[in-house]
Structures are given as C-alpha cells and as structure tokens.
Amino acid sequence: MVTTLEITLNGQRREVPGPLTVAGLLAHLKLRPEHVAVEINRDLVTRRRHAETAVAPGDVLEIVTLVGGGAPAAEHEAPTLTIGGHTVRSRLFVGTGKYATLELMRECLDASGCEVVTVAVRRERLFDREGRNLLDFLDPKRYTILPNTAGCFSAEEALRTARLGRELLEGLGNPGADWVKLEVLADTRTLLPDPVATLESTRVLVKEGFQVLCYTSDDPIMARRLKEAGAASVMPAGSPIGSGQGVLNPNNIRIILEDLKGGDPSYPVIVDAGVGTASDVAVAMELGCDGVLLNTGIAGAKDPLRMAHAMRLAVEAGRLASGAGRIARKLYATASSPTQGLVGRN
C-alpha cells in the first residue's frame, strides 16, 4: 500500500511516496547515489546502508553533493536586503492572519520562501478552539518575526503594543525583538494611516531603540518625514489594506523611491498593503522597490498555497526586470525582423 510521507529535505518540507528507503528516495529524486551523501536526523547514512535504511514520517534529511569552491553568485540571485540590523535574502514579507487553518498558514509560509513573517499582538486568541497557539505552527528559529501594531488607532495604543511585542520576542530569543512594523490607523472604513500619530510614534520608538518599519500612505512628503524621524524602512501602501487593488499610484511610489534613495540607494522601501495577485508584486518590484509585504493576497486566494508560490516567483521576476531595464514605450510598431533581403524583393 502506497502512503505519503512528510519529511524535511534540505530545510524544505516535502511529501514523498512511502514506504521508502534512502535508496528509494534517491531514485524518486533521480539522484545518483555515488554523487551524494545523506544524513537522517543528523546521522550519516553510509552508501552501503541506503537500501536497508527506512525513511520515516517527520525525518529531517540532508542530501549534499560537491560543488566548485568560491563560485560567484549566479547573476539572477538577488543580493541580500538589509533593514536596520537585519539582513535577509527573501524580499517577500508575509503575514500570518486570515488563513483557514494554522496548518495551511504554515504550508503557505514555506511555499512563499519568506524569511520574515508579521504577527499581530493580541490579548485574545491565546489559543484556538483546539487549544493550539500560533507559535505552535511558527518556528521562531526559522523565521524572523516582525510584530506589528495592526488595529491601533492612537499613538498610545501603538506604543504599548510595540513594547509588548518586544517583550514576547525577547522571551522567544527571536531576532525580531528589536524591530516593529508600525501601523497607526485613522479610521476603520479606509484603514489609512494617521500621519500625525504615525510620525509621533516613530520618533518615540526610535528613541527607545526600536528599528521601525513604518506603514504609510503613498504621500512622498510624509515618506520623507518618516525617514528623517529615523524609520529603518518606509512602507508605502500600494492601495488600501486588504483591497487587492495593487499599486494604484505608481508615480507616487517612483517619487518616494527617488526622494528616499537619492544619496542613499540602499535605504529600503517596501510596498505594504493592497497586493492582490502576483502581477501586483511584480509591478512593485519593477518600480524599484526593495520588497513587498502582504497577507490577504495569499490567505484570501482560492488556492492560497499556489498563490504563495506565485508571489515568491513574482518578487524574483519583478526584481530581475527592474535591473534589466524595460524597452521604451512607443506609439507605433517596430519590426523585430530585418526588412532587408526579403524573398522576391530587390
């Protein structure tokens, strides 16, 4: 009887057909045994034991091969992104809310390739109906957790929430303890940021040693003020939170990028909110943004797991396209093939 085994292979969760031995797994992966070395749960499995060693559900496997030392990074490999004291490779930041189940959330985070996940700080929902906590499904050793002040409508609420988030993450030993995604909202209908309270909160949190990733509108003047106040990253909204409208005002995003990166090209600008599908992510990255933060775009999709994969690829594609430089837009056609030498034409 064929069953399915869930294992962790080279840091990624995988489902493989079972029952299975190491030899069978290598065959399934189309790997030549003489080209690899295998560990199960940190124990070396020598080649002569491949056929007799069973792979069990939950096993953690490492399969390695030899590569040329000192090889340069591939041209398409995105360089790391630094925000304050944090450096990450993935430029996709993913939220943890609105998923149908905690299991689905975990699978989507894995599929997205993200390294940073955002979490809300709440007094309710310490446990779900089955007595489980979000942190039971979120590995603090794998992800850098970015606590946010979502749902706060005053500077006082946002400051209290940020401090509680830091206390929680310090207890977990997670590196995200020293940063916060700051949201101070103006009203429940638009969920647009309150600019005065946001600026006030940023100044206070920076003085308290926080690295502030600041949600704001796409107003270039406000973006400049927040950077001047010490924000580690300014995060303009593409469109209203959860609306799925994508980047509504690309020209304002361009101005923000020009203003904040002028003389400081490594300053991180991340589009936050309004992303509905992969093309929205690609547009944000093609504009020259350093990353995209989203939640509903994945969690609210008909197939969240497939959308998580799509968002991951869109970040890569958009960044590649931004670096490649698009062709100029023209009113009329330009032939791709030469007109000289056509058959029957002098």
Side-chain angles (χ1 to χ4, degrees), residues 2-282:
V2 177
T3 59
T4 299
L5 302 177
E6 183 174 279
I7 61 173
T8 300
L9 176 59
N10 289 355
Q12 300 291 321
R13 289 187 180 85
R14 292 278 297 266
E15 287 189 352
V16 295
L20 205 60
T21 62
V22 170
L25 176 62
L26 296 180
H28 173 72
L29 298 173
K30 298 181 180 178
L31 296 174
R32 294 172 60 177
E34 64 270 29
H35 285 180
V36 299
V38 181
E39 280 186 350
I40 295 183
N41 303 324
R42 300 200 172 200
D43 288 329
L44 177 66
V45 181
T46 59
R47 193 163 293 108
R48 64 172 176 259
R49 294 171 49 218
H50 283 186
E52 64 188 52
T53 302
V55 178
D59 276 350
V60 178
L61 289 91
E62 291 287 338
I63 300 179
V64 300
T65 189
L66 300 179
V67 298
E75 289 185 7
H76 67 273
E77 185 176 331
T80 57
L81 171 63
T82 298
I83 303 174
H86 298 270
T87 299
V88 295
R89 291 191 176 278
S90 173
R91 292 166 182 266
L92 184 62
F93 300 70
V94 181
T96 53
K98 302 184 179 180
Y99 291 93
T101 66
L102 290 172
E103 289 84 358
L104 179 61
M105 176 204 73
R106 181 172 59 191
E107 291 174 3
C108 288
L109 295 180
D110 183 47
S112 75
C114 71
E115 297 171 52
V116 176
V117 298
T118 65
V119 296
V121 180
R122 292 287 187 273
R123 65 174 59 161
E124 76 273 17
R125 290 182 297 186
L126 292 174
F127 301 98
D128 67 7
R129 293 176 181 176
E130 299 175 35
R132 305 176 303 176
N133 182 280
L134 173 71
L135 293 174
D136 295 330
F137 293 81
L138 194 61
D139 185 355
K141 293 183 173 61
R142 176 178 181 180
Y143 297 106
T144 297
I145 298 174
L146 174 57
N148 68 37
T149 62
C152 293
F153 289 86
S154 70
E156 180 185 7
E157 282 184 338
L159 295 174
R160 290 180 63 194
T161 301
R163 292 162 185 153
L164 286 166
R166 177 162 62 182
E167 173 69 16
L168 273 165
L169 293 183
E170 284 178 345
L172 290 172
N174 189 270
D178 67 344
W179 66 358
V180 62
K181 182 198 166 193
L182 177 64
E183 293 182 22
V184 190
L185 304 177
D187 64 69
T188 57
R189 182 171 61 90
T190 66
L191 297 182
L192 290 172
D194 180 327
V196 175
T198 298
L199 187 57
E200 176 188 342
S201 300
T202 299
R203 288 172 174 152
V204 172
L205 291 171
V206 169
K207 286 181 181 178
E208 294 183 8
F210 282 92
Q211 299 178 60
V212 182
L213 289 75
C214 198
Y215 167 67
T216 181
S217 67
D218 60 6
D219 174 16
I221 305 305
M222 188 62 191
R224 292 210 305 261
R225 296 287 182 267
L226 291 168
K227 182 182 178 185
E228 290 166 0
S233 174
V234 171
M235 308 177 78
S239 54
I241 292 173
S243 70
Q245 297 182 68
V247 179
L248 291 181
N249 196 339
N251 288 334
N252 271 25
I253 301 295
R254 288 189 180 98
I255 295 170
I256 288 172
L257 289 164
E258 183 179 300
D259 287 352
L260 300 193
K261 288 179 173 288
D264 188 8
S266 63
Y267 185 81
V269 176
I270 298 170
V271 163
D272 173 17
V275 170
T277 190
S279 58
D280 299 333
V281 171

